[in-house]
């Protein structure tokens, strides 16, 4: 079997597995967030937190809870990272400097998992487990909570309430993320992902002695993918043989990082009582994903440049056991889901392949996006689409029975504005600073792409790095932390504001004059709007980065 | 509108457009304000560092602003002409005020207050809005409605309202003034058509927010492009960045937005409907339930003969001829319709035999007919009346027919004769409400548009249901009282539906006020006109359907031009980006798909296209995008194809063509 056949077969298997899991897992999540019964353990937790699980929160109160919870999370994590030398299993490592600790804490709480440090040489096991892994669960849960709150906004009739954040948080963590992560961890263990509490010193073939880093990797690896976090235990992330040892573990990881974002479309469809609507959203996501995957596959396997042609594919920076296809599928999935885990060096992708990864993030992480954030991001784009398309059928635009009037379009417009603004201003400022030039791993076009990639990754909460660029200066630590914070919580606050104003409305009945949003036509329009909004915003930066590089390399000639 | 009629209009409004260059005016449209600021900036550059290119860009940016203003001025101009003719009707009216003692004082119309009573006689102009409290008169309302046929206005009832500025043609009436000077219908109408009171509608505001946000996104994109370009070793002149910004921000829709709104109101005025607010016009597009009165709207006002049903032993021709005889002298619409039907069914067009006398309908007999010279009497009337005349029960077969006709919602008239052999019934004439031509199709269209129709009638449920079925309405409200109407509106609204209705009587006022779109008939009472948010000057209840179409057209035009405007940006990027960075990255020439001649001509062409497209779209903004009553899906597909895909393709062609011309200018090409 040649590489292309096996690559396509892998993709087919992945698609099949997702198709099989879509309905049962999506419906499971729907039941989790709509159920009325509380487990005994959950009741205990609510009592501990002082929460009335039956109380409904307004969107404002929901948002306050999210922000307060996340602020506490950041503060705790900063404390753990800076004071890790006092914790058990610290491996004798010192605390992180304040700017790196802040950047890392923000990064993990915002579900970005941008890493300006190398895990094995910086962090002890307690900081990894009690600090980072905990946020891997909680930040992912927060994303799902916000998406569910938005869906409830569409469902509510003049109540103005969007659910109870604490109940959502506890249930999503306990009933969705934990069980699946356990299963995932066990499966990864079978492939040889390590799970230990000590580094090992071994004697090498030549007789020398070498410390092989160990750690509780498998447990963290599972939620790293499942929660679309992406922060690696080791610096090499999923290119490290202890994180991602085999082609099967590679496929499993891709499946896990796509699982929740993809299945949430079903959850959405089930909650609103229209599975077709869920399928339409999924269809739009899948179209964007497939197109990006095709571009990446074309760029990486057809061999751009002399060395690549000789090797049969652009193999620089890729693991030979995954090959070009295993790397492309991974890079597309990880940048399309705001995961940011990598099993190859994105800096070494061909200009077009790297550009595709960059565009996946620029789309706003909606194909299918991060856990929760992908769904709410796509629903926000659906509101924009329905606003313009709805006018063209001669009615005040409405989506799922809710009119898109002045407040709704205000929140939506600001949501679509905030992330591009952070990216563009971040890149503009960074590139204007003389110090940035010294931090770049490459000069010229590729160096520019590195800066664009960094801010795009941070603001869209992806967390993958183009590499090459050194981001440990206080400027980059703080600038990127700001980008991550605003990108995540700015969007969340605006999305919840949208949910609130939808929830205060009385639903409008569907008639023949209503624009149906569950059709192929609407799905195509949605894809078109996502592409147009992204294209119009980022075309100049893309033209000066990957496009100029690809064209100069003669990719299209 | 044809181009030939547009050009003079544009020329006429040019001075108005230049006057609107005032930033205080432009501030209302952030998009155009950015262009205005850009024009000033580029002009400053052109003055300090003159070049053909700089002046070219500066001039075309100014033109962009002017063209936007021109669109608005033209839209307003059409209303102004109408306002002027209305104003002529208002000027210099004197009133004959009735004093409490019964004497008359002549005062200027502007001195009247609410509650004053004035006398208006033939040839005089009604000095203000009011209700007729005494007398009947025919009134020429052409000054307002444009309809030259006079209308009757009388005290009491639902035709009591008179409007200031109309002329009494005959008789004498006393009018009680109901509106203070300056607030009369005519005043409001003038303000409306002039657009003086124009407030931005909810959807217009929402769209403006989206456009403003897009403008900010592009502003950020262009401002941050400056350091990026510096890094790339291709520093950009501010002139070029401003040109890029203006091309990217949605100037097309930004420039046309207010013109679209004004033109929408104007289209309503042209079908003789006055909307009291733009909000009502927008709501009309959203209406999902229409309340229509049966009589006069769905059916012709009167019952008509639809069928002859002979009794056993009587031929169809016999019944037809007798029925015709009984009705020949009958001037009621029902009577005439029997004659018409008989002729249609082949009756001879002969007169009554000599010596026949007409027996008129009386409250006692409840029948009408003729007594012939040969002693025979022919009668038609309600079953019970004829039964009394016959002095016996109707034959079973005839009674069955009577029941059948009423069962079907019709009115049975029994025809009988008394002759030498005694009295006998000949059969039944089926009278029924006749649905107006084309109503069935219109209701089908409405259904396709997602609008439910409810027929409101005072008839009993059985009759109402029968007519409702025939007309194809979705629901029937029978034996309806004004309270029922109001309750129905409330129920619909609780279900999230927007309701439109027409009404003319004072008792319609609460329902008109409650409806989202309440169209009052101009012939109706002042109370009704006050309660509704639209007034139909022609008093044609079917016009509600046109109003809905105009509301939809307004929204479609906005959506279509927004889509077009944004889709245009793709081509502009392809023109400007390679031009900006060709020097730094020669490979970017691949993106110059239009093969524009030089970087300067590429940028200039995009700017020129951006300005000209505004002018090119003024006719569509004014006339509105063509609206056909189709399903939402079909409408969307069509408009996406035309304005979305068109918006992508047209600028590629347009910019290329402009480049061919612009590149010939020395200093640019």
């Amino acid at each position: 079997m040649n590489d292309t056949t096996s690559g396509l077969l892998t993709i087919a298997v992945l698609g099949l597995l997702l198709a099989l899991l879509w309905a049962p897992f999506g419906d499971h999540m729907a039941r989790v967030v709509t159920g009325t019964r509380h487990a005994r353990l959950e009741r205990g937790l609510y009592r501990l937190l002082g929460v009335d699980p039956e109380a409904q929160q307004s969107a404002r109160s929901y948002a306050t809870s999210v922000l307060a919870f996340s602020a506490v999370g950041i503060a705790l994590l900063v404390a753990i990272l800076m004071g890790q030398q006092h914790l058990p299993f610290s491996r004798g490592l010192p605390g992180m400097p304040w700017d790196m600790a802040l950047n890392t804490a923000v990064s993990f709480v915002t579900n970005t998992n941008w890493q300006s440090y190398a895990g094995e040489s910086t962090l002890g096991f307690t900081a990894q487990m009690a600090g980072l892994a905990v946020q891997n669960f909680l930040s992912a849960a927060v994303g799902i909570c916000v998406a569910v709150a938005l869906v409830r906004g569409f469902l509510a009739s003049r109540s103005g309430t969007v659910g109870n954040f604490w109940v959502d948080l506890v249930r999503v963590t306990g009933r969705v993320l934990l069980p699946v992560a356990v299963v995932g961890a066990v499966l990864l263990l079978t492939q040889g992902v390590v799970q230990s509490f000590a580094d090992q010193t071994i004697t090498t073939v030549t007789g020398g002695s070498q410390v092989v880093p160990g750690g509780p990797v498998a447990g963290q690896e599972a939620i790293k993918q499942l929660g679309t976090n992406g922060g690696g235990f080791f610096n090499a992330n999923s290119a490290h043989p202890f994180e991602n040892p085999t082609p099967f573990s590679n496929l499993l990881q891709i499946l896990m990082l796509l699982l929740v974002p993809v299945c949430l479309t079903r959850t959405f469809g089930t909650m609103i009582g229209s599975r077709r609507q869920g399928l339409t959203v999924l269809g739009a996501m899948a179209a964007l994903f497939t197109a990006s995957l095709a571009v990446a596959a074309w760029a990486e396997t057809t061999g751009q440049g002399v060395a690549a042609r000789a090797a049969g594919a652009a193999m620089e920076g890729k693991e030979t056991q995954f090959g070009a296809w295993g790397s492309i599928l991974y890079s597309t999935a990880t940048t399309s889901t705001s995961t940011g885990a990598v099993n190859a060096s994105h800096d070494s992708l061909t200009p077009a392949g790297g550009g595709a990864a960059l565009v996946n993030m620029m789309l706003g992480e909606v194909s299918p996006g991060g856990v929760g954030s992908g769904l709410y991001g796509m629903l926000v784009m659906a509101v924009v689409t329905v606003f313009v398309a709805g006018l063209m059928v001669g009615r005040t635009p409405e989506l799922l029975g809710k009119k898109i009037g002045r407040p709704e379009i205000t929140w939506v417009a600001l949501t679509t504005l905030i992330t591009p603004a952070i990216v563009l201003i971040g890149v503009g400022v960074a590139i204007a600073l003389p110090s940035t030039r010294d931090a770049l791993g490459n000069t010229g076009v590729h160096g520019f792409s590195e800066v664009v990639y960094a801010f795009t990754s941070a603001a869209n909460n992806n967390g993958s790095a183009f590499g090459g660029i050194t981001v440990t200066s206080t400027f980059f630590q703080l600038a990127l932390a700001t980008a991550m914070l605003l990108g995540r919580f700015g969007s969340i606050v605006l999305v919840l504001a949208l949910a609130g104003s939808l929830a205060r409305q009385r639903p409008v009945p569907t008639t023949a004059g209503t624009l149906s949003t569950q059709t192929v036509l609407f799905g195509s329009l949605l894809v078109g709007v996502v592409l147009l909004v992204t294209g119009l915003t980022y075309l100049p930066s893309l033209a000066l980065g990957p496009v100029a590089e690809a064209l100069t390399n003669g990719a299209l000639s | 509108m044809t181009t030939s009629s547009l050009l003079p209009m544009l020329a006429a409004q040019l001075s108005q457009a230049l006057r609107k260059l005032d930033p205080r005016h432009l501030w209302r449209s952030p998009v155009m304000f950015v262009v205005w600021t850009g024009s000033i900036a580029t002009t400053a550059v052109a003055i300090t560092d003159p070049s053909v290119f700089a002046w070219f860009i500066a001039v075309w940016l100014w033109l962009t602003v002017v063209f936007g203003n021109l669109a608005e001025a033209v839209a307003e101009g059409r209303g102004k002409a109408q306002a002027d003719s209305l104003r002529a009707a208002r000027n210099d009216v004197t009133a004959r005020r009735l004093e409490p003692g019964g004497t008359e004082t002549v005062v200027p119309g502007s001195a009247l207050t609410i509650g004053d009573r004035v006398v208006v006689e033939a040839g005089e102009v009604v000095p203000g809005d009011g209700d007729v409290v005494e007398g009947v008169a025919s009134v020429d309302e052409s000054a307002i409605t444009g309809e030259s046929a006079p209308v009757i206005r009388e005290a009491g009832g639902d035709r009591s309202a008179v409007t200031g500025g109309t002329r009494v043609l005959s008789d004498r009436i006393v009018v009680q003034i109901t509106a203070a000077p300056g607030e009369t219908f005519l005043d409001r109408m003038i303000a409306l058509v002039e657009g003086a009171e124009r407030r931005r509608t909810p959807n217009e505001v929402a769209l403006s927010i989206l456009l403003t946000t897009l403008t900010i996104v592009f502003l950020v994109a262009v401002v941050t492009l400056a350091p990026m370009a510096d890094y790339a070793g291709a520093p950009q002149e501010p002139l070029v960045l401003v040109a890029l910004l203006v091309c990217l921000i949605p100037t097309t829709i930004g420039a046309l937005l207010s013109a679209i709104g004004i033109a929408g109101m104007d289209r309503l005025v042209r079908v003789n409907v006055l909307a009291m607010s733009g909000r009502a016009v927008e709501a009309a597009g959203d209406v999902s339930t229409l309340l229509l009165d049966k009589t006069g709207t769905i059916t012709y006002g009167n019952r008509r003969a639809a069928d002859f049903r002979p009794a056993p032993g009587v031929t169809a021709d016999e019944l037809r001829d007798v029925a015709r005889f009984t009705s020949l002298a009958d001037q009621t619409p029902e009577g005439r319709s029997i004659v018409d039907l008989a002729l249609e069914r082949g009756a001879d067009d002969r007169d009554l035999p000599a010596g026949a006398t007409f027996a008129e309908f009386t409250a006692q007999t409840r029948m009408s007919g003729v007594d012939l010279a040969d002693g025979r009497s022919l009668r038609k009337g309600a079953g019970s009346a004829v039964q009394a005349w016959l002095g016996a029960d109707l034959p079973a077969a005839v009674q069955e027919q009577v029941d059948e006709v009423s069962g079907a919602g019709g009115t049975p008239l029994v025809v009988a004769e008394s002759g030498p052999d005694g009295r006998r019934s000949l059969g039944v004439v089926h009278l029924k409400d006749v649905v107006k031509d084309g109503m069935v199709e219109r209701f089908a269209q409405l259904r396709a548009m997602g609008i439910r129709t409810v027929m409101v009638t005072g008839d009993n449920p059985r009759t109402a249901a029968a007519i409702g079925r025939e007309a194809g309405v979705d629901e029937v409200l029978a034996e309806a009282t004004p309270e029922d109407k109001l309750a129905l509106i409330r129920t619909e609204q609780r279900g999230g539906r927007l309701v439109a209705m027409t009404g003319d009587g004072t008792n319609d006022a609460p329902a008109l006020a409650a409806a989202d779109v309440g169209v009052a008939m101009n012939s109706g009472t002042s109370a009704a006109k006050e309660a509704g948010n639209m007034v139909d000057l022609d008093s044609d209840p079917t016009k509600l359907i046109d109003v809905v179409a105009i509301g939809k057209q307004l929204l479609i035009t906005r959506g279509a031009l927004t889509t077009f405007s944004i889709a245009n940006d793709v081509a502009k990027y392809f023109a400007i980006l390679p031009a900006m960075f060709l020097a730094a990255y020669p490979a970017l020439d691949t993106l110059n798909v239009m093969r524009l001649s030089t970087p300067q001509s590429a940028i200039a062409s995009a700017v020129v296209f951006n300005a000209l497209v505004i002018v090119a779209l003024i006719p569509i903004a004014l006339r509105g995008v063509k609206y056909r009553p189709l399903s939402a899906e079909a409408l969307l597909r069509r408009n996406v194809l035309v304005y979305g895909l068109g918006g992508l393709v047209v600028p590629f062609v347009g910019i290329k063509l402009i480049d061919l011309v612009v590149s010939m200018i020395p200093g640019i090409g």
Side-chain angles (χ1 to χ4, degrees), chain B residues 343-646:
Chain B
L343 286 178
E344 214 173 274
R345 298 273 169 99
D348 288 337
D349 191 11
R350 58 192 161 102
D351 240 330
L352 279 172
T357 51
F358 181 55
E360 231 179 301
F361 179 91
T362 67
Q364 283 75 42
T365 61
R366 293 187 293 134
M367 295 185 300
S368 62
V370 284
D371 295 321
L372 300 177
D374 61 7
R376 279 201 304 159
S377 296
L378 311 177
R379 291 290 183 274
K380 68 167 195 290
S384 56
V386 174
Q387 200 169 311
W389 186 68
L390 291 172
D393 282 352
L394 292 175
V398 175
Q399 185 62 49
E400 209 169 279
Q401 284 169 342
V402 166
D403 293 342
E404 225 173 89
V405 169
S406 9
T411 307
L413 282 185
V414 179
V415 178
E417 67 167 1
S418 76
D421 317 327
R423 295 176 170 186
R424 62 171 184 142
S425 50
L426 302 175
V428 174
V429 180
H430 183 173
L431 288 182
K432 68 173 188 183
D433 263 337
V434 177
V435 174
K436 283 186 180 174
D437 290 339
M439 289 315 282
V440 177
E441 290 77 17
R442 291 200 100 167
F443 290 141
Q445 281 179 354
L446 286 171
R447 214 173 351 264
M449 287 154 60
I451 297 173
R452 227 160 51 90
T453 42
V454 180
M455 183 182 88
V456 181
T457 170
D459 290 346
N460 65 58
R462 211 162 55 173
T463 312
I467 298 163
R469 250 195 319 276
E470 193 177 335
V473 297
D474 298 289
E475 203 179 299
V476 170
L477 185 67
E479 288 172 352
T481 62
E483 292 74 34
D484 293 340
K485 262 196 203 179
L486 190 58
L488 180 69
I489 292 174
R490 293 268 150 80
T491 318
E492 292 288 318
Q493 288 173 335
R494 258 196 300 281
R497 296 183 189 86
L498 262 58
V499 184
M501 70 166 284
T502 57
D504 50 8
T506 300
N507 55 13
D508 282 333
L512 276 172
D516 301 282
V517 178
V519 183
M521 300 293 105
N522 190 43
S523 61
T525 60
S526 320
K529 283 156 80 174
E530 204 56 53
N533 47 18
M534 290 191 195
V535 175
D536 178 13
L537 301 175
D538 297 337
S539 307
D540 169 10
T542 53
K543 212 181 274 168
L544 203 45
I545 298 170
D546 299 325
V547 171
V548 169
I550 288 173
K552 285 192 179 292
Q553 195 185 27
L554 174 69
L555 294 173
I556 292 175
T557 308
R558 258 186 222 144
L561 294 188
T562 304
T563 309
F564 187 85
S565 183
I566 297 172
N568 271 206
D569 279 2
V570 176
K572 293 175 194 162
Y573 260 136
F574 273 94
I576 298 183
L577 277 183
M580 289 172 93
F581 297 112
L582 199 58
Y585 303 117
L588 284 181
D589 195 41
T590 316
L591 295 184
N592 182 10
V593 288
M594 288 171 268
R595 312 310 314 158
L596 304 176
S597 37
T598 66
Q600 290 198 328
S601 81
I603 294 167
S605 303
V607 169
V608 171
F609 175 84
N610 194 49
L612 287 184
V613 80
I614 296 174
V615 182
L617 290 176
I618 288 179
I620 293 187
L622 295 186
R623 191 181 54 211
V625 166
K626 200 168 191 182
Y627 172 71
R628 289 202 207 111
L630 297 170
S631 73
E633 179 88 1
L635 265 179
L636 180 64
R637 185 168 296 124
R638 192 188 122 84
N639 288 325
V640 165
L641 215 64
V642 175
Y643 295 95
L645 228 52

Side-chain angles (χ1 to χ4, degrees), chain A residues 418-435:
Chain A
I418 189 164
T419 322
I422 298 167
V423 173
L424 292 172
I425 293 173
V427 173
V429 171
I431 210 77
L433 291 176
S435 61

Side-chain angles (χ1 to χ4, degrees), chain A residues 200-224:
Chain A
Q200 275 185 315
T201 308
I202 56 158
T203 311
T204 61
V205 198
T206 52
S209 123
Q210 187 186 348
V211 177
V212 177
V217 181
Q220 195 162 330
E221 192 64 20
I223 188 61
K224 167 185 126 185

Side-chain angles (χ1 to χ4, degrees), chain A residues 384 387-389 391-397 403 405-406 409-410 413-414 416-417 421 424-425 427-428 431-432 437 440 442-445 447-448 506-509 511-516 519 521 525 532 535-537 539-541 543-544 547-548 551-552 556, chain B residues 203 205-207 209-210 213 216-218 220-221 224-225 227-232 285-288 447-450 493-498 552 555-556 558-560 562-563 566-567 569-570 573 577 581 585 587-588 590-591 631-633 635-637 639-640:
Chain A
V384 176
F387 185 75
V388 177
L391 282 179
M392 283 198 286
V393 306
R395 282 170 72 106
T396 304
K403 294 213 164 176
R406 181 186 177 156
I409 204 69
T410 308
L414 290 175
T416 47
L417 166 73
L424 292 172
I425 293 173
V427 173
I431 210 77
R437 313 222 163 171
L440 297 179
N442 299 73
T443 54
V445 196
F448 180 75
R506 191 204 295 279
V508 182
T511 69
T514 313
L515 171 68
S516 170
T519 57
L521 177 62
L525 277 179
L532 201 63
L536 295 182
T537 320
L539 220 60
S541 0
L544 291 178
V547 174
L551 292 176
T552 308
L556 289 172
Chain B
N203 173 263
V205 171
L207 184 55
I209 289 172
L210 186 69
T213 312
I216 297 173
V217 169
F218 288 127
V220 172
T224 55
L225 187 55
M228 297 184 199
D230 289 346
Y231 172 85
D286 286 352
V287 160
S288 46
R447 214 173 351 264
M449 287 154 60
Q493 288 173 335
R494 258 196 300 281
R497 296 183 189 86
L498 262 58
K552 285 192 179 292
L555 294 173
I556 292 175
R558 258 186 222 144
T562 304
T563 309
I566 297 172
D569 279 2
V570 176
Y573 260 136
L577 277 183
F581 297 112
Y585 303 117
L588 284 181
T590 316
L591 295 184
S631 73
E633 179 88 1
L635 265 179
L636 180 64
R637 185 168 296 124
N639 288 325
V640 165

Side-chain angles (χ1 to χ4, degrees), chain A residues 140-197:
Chain A
V142 165
I144 299 177
C145 292
V146 173
V148 167
L150 177 59
V151 177
R152 290 199 189 107
F154 282 106
L155 286 171
S157 176
R158 304 191 76 187
S159 67
T161 57
V162 294
N164 184 319
F165 170 68
W166 306 104
V167 173
D168 290 341
L169 181 73
V170 166
R171 287 190 185 176
V172 168
T173 311
R175 300 196 207 173
V176 177
L177 297 176
L178 260 175
V180 183
V182 167
V183 174
V186 170
L187 285 173
L188 286 171
L189 276 174
T190 66
Q191 295 302 302
V193 177
V194 299
Q195 179 80 7
S196 65
F197 282 93

Side-chain angles (χ1 to χ4, degrees), chain A residues 11-28 31 255 258-259 262-263 265-266 279 282:
Chain A
I11 295 170
V13 169
L14 177 69
L16 187 72
L17 287 171
L18 282 170
L20 287 174
L21 289 167
W22 189 66
F25 189 58
D27 286 347
H28 168 67
R31 277 192 301 275
L255 175 68
L258 286 168
L259 183 67
V262 165
C263 294
T265 57
R266 168 74 175 201
L279 261 183
L282 178 63

